[in-house]
Amino acid sequence: MFSQHVVVDNTELLIRKANGTKMRPIWQDKDSEIVKVIDQRLLPHKLIISDLRSVDDVINAIKHMVVRGAPLIGVTGAYGVYLAVINFDGKTGFDDFLINECNRLKSTRPTAVNLSWGVDRVKDKLLKMTNQSARIDIARNEAAKIADEEVENCKKIGENGLRLIDEIWMKKKGKTVNILTHCNAGWLACVEYGTATAPIYAAYENDIDIHVWVDETRPLNQGARLTAWELNNHGIKHTVITDNAGGHLMQHGMVDMVIVGTDRTTYTGDVANKIGTYLKALAARDNNIPFYVALPSSTFDWKLKDGINEISIEERDPDEVRYVQGLELGSIKSVLLPPASSPAANFAFDVTPARLVTGFITERGVCRATKQDIKRMFPRNVDELTSSSRRTDLSQA
Ligand code: MRU
């Protein structure tokens, strides 16, 4: 596969922190054509940087979850289009080549809408262009711009979510605010700040006493491996729990709010996120605990109305369920869990219906999970979708 560099003891991460620049999970060095990514499969035990040089490298990285998390796969897809352009050999027409490469990129993972959003945004800038060096510049700049915009969006999600945490802190008269989160919706999944973690980081920076319950998030344990790694590096109090512990903690007053991310959210407010999110939302509702979903606008699917029936749920390799990975005597090992001949199923996401969501934390503010409120927050997107579906209805009549 692609070339890899091991970063011993997180040194690079710490050096960048000391320089005041944050490490991102994806970047390009100045004057280099290579796209660099953190390989998230071996965290927290090994920090490895991989080089992506071609569309095939990007496809492998997204499929095998070297990179993951909705906003990050959107950005990676955008850089994939840049790599397609620099590898264009001129043997076929450019537009056909580009559309084909973009379709290959978009088919790598089905659930997160950010992927096609990021790919199409760069593609749309390039179609019909004839000058190859201008294409390269445009593709590189647009991918970088998407990454920077997602950082800005996540920063604003942090500011908007901070108010919600602050209100709870005031109500609790300064006692620790306990927040439960699922999967990894942190900077690793989003470039910087994260979605669900952005308000948590903002609360910490504002000296609010917080503690995070981190769902381990079987089967790939993004919570135990990645969210815990992020919070630990940041010095934020947290505890890793089994995926089934949340309900019990909620019944005993040990959770003040839940914040999760999302991979695709309908314009009516249904939320697809990592498998198990729905059960947390049910438990939160039963215990009267606010359940917030944090997302940038790139994660809204402006075409979908009914999350349960219309969102495509990824089914991954059952071996991800059958095997568990961890550290033993300094090396990372994978061990078999069930009887060798037991079949397993691996549904990667589920859909939480809008009625269970207390609110969305977006870059534009906090709103309820209803079409009306989403429209108030994003009037142009919702109007465009209504007029385009009206056009489709007419053409089908
Ligand atoms: O399968 P993954 O690890 O890509 O799933 C990621 C999630 O479900 C995140 O919660 C989601 O992308 C939230 S946005 C940061």
Side-chain angles (χ1 to χ4, degrees), residues 12 84 130 155 179 216 251 261 285 332 356 362 366 378 389:
E12 181 159 350
T130 50
K155 189 172 178 213
I179 302 168
E216 60 179 348
Q251 285 174 329
R285 174 56 54 92
I332 294 171
L356 297 178
T362 77
V366 178
F378 298 97
S389 53

Side-chain angles (χ1 to χ4, degrees), residues 246-256 258 279-290:
H248 167 76
L249 298 178
M250 290 183 204
Q251 285 174 329
H252 290 272
M254 294 159 85
V255 179
D256 296 302
V258 179
L279 294 179
K280 294 299 134 62
L282 282 174
R285 174 56 54 92
D286 194 42
N287 290 283
N288 225 357
I289 290 164

